[in-house]
Amino acid sequence: MLGAIIVGAIIGMVAASVTKRSDSMGCLANIFAGLFGSFVGQSLFGYWGPSLAGMALIPSIAGAVIVIAVISFFIGD
């Protein structure tokens, strides 16, 4: 469980830097974006590429970028 949280935080940080939202996101937001983005990305794109803690990294990062973009659209930040 701790490994998944750490990997989720890393995925969230990468996705936040890709979407240029790294300044406005905190640690908990990165973890949420990484874990939920991992779920979304693997549901949409499947399980391919390298994986850590049971999360395929490339689809997880793509899903986290989608999650951050959708949330930013609705919040207007």
Side-chain angles (χ1 to χ4, degrees), residues 27-47:
C27 185
L28 289 176
N30 282 335
I31 292 171
F32 171 77
L35 292 176
F36 190 64
S38 176
F39 171 75
V40 169
Q42 291 178 21
S43 295
L44 292 174
F45 306 119
Y47 298 91

Side-chain angles (χ1 to χ4, degrees), residues 11-12 14-15 33-52 54-67:
I11 290 170
V14 170
L35 292 176
F36 190 64
S38 176
F39 171 75
V40 169
Q42 291 178 21
S43 295
L44 292 174
F45 306 119
Y47 298 91
W48 54 274
S51 78
L52 286 172
M55 294 181 234
L57 295 179
I58 297 171
S60 297
I61 292 170
V65 167
I66 292 169
V67 167

